[in-house]
Amino acid sequence: MEPAERAQAARDRVPRIDPYGFERPEDFDYAAYEEFFSTYLVILTRRAIKWSKLLKGSSSVQKSMTVKRYIRKGVPLEHRARVWMGVSGAQAQMDRNPGYYHRLLQGERNDSLEEAIRTDMNRTFPDNIKFRKSADPCLQKTLYNVLLAYGHHNQGVGYCQGMNFIAGYLILITKNEEESFWLLDALVGRILPDYYSPAMLGLKMDQEVLGELVRTKLPAVAALMDGHGVLWTLVVSRWFICLFVDILPVETVLRIWDCLFNEGSKIIFRVALTLIKQHQAFILEASSVADICEKFKEITKGSFVMECHTFMQKIFSEPGSLSMTTITRLRESCRAKLLAQG
């Protein structure tokens, strides 16, 4: 079969809308996806059987070495919400605070918070049929509620762009408003250091930390960035703010989040370093600032990121050792530098 015929045949077989409601982009490589998915399906089936055995008879998921190993190999969709709720501490918080979420929604009105959230509603996943006004039920209302409740709950953060994408993914996976709220709280309140507060100090700090890690592990890339005076925020801020949503393929993002909820924010650095290391030669071809920015967009596309199972294996091997102690030390020095700059 000719490549064009094979591509058309794959296009006829692979649904145009993915299992989460996203329309596949115009340039989607149906043939490559079909080839990948046929092997991935075998892995998924095998993992699903193992997970069912592991979770049998237990009501909640606790952190352990076995659970960590299982999570790194991927959580089946049917168990994902339960696993995320368990390992992130969101389930425990929800159990300790019955009725709290609904009380937040009935709290005092805050016009500026409501307006900020409402402004972003139509900008959240226009390519997802479940978030369209014509959908029944339309997830925009659920998303609005989760973000509004969170704004009341964490007034220091309120609402910040980027949180809409994260809450949207949580809703698609949990199909549960209250669970999405508590998972958002786990991410914004505990797992990520201060990404969404007005000053975004944690976000700026982590971008600097990535810069320091690249300087140590991939000095040629750091030299290129320095040589052109490119700040890391210019090329990676959306990676951090959106936790790779709308940047990497959906299934890959979910596999990253499986580990993020269990192992914490150092996973973000593992993903970023792997993307940069894998494409180092390509990035080093850049000869201008615009060129560098374009290359950083390109490295988040293609088969390397689509093949989520191999990609996840790579994030734990490619960057080499990356301890939380190292991250904490770098965070402290980068934070101090940022505060000194005012």
Side-chain angles (χ1 to χ4, degrees), residues 224-237:
L224 175 79
M225 298 287 281
D226 291 344
H228 288 279
V230 177
L231 299 174
W232 281 99
T233 185
L234 195 62
V235 289
V236 299
S237 63

Side-chain angles (χ1 to χ4, degrees), residues 268-288:
I268 302 169
F269 297 109
R270 286 200 164 278
V271 174
L273 287 168
T274 303
L275 286 169
I276 297 165
K277 185 175 181 184
Q278 179 70 22
H279 301 97
Q280 179 170 234
F282 174 70
I283 293 167
L284 292 174
E285 289 168 7
S287 56
S288 67

Side-chain angles (χ1 to χ4, degrees), residues 213-273:
L213 289 169
V214 170
R215 198 175 300 284
T216 314
K217 294 175 182 285
L218 303 161
V221 175
L224 175 79
M225 298 287 281
D226 291 344
H228 288 279
V230 177
L231 299 174
W232 281 99
T233 185
L234 195 62
V235 289
V236 299
S237 63
R238 284 189 66 239
W239 295 7
F240 287 90
I241 293 172
C242 300
L243 302 176
F244 301 103
V245 171
D246 257 11
I247 291 153
L248 296 177
V250 183
E251 199 58 50
T252 308
V253 175
L254 296 173
R255 288 287 303 267
I256 292 165
W257 284 22
D258 289 344
C259 298
L260 180 65
F261 278 116
N262 188 49
E263 298 182 51
S265 54
K266 71 174 178 184
I267 294 298
I268 302 169
F269 297 109
R270 286 200 164 278
V271 174
L273 287 168

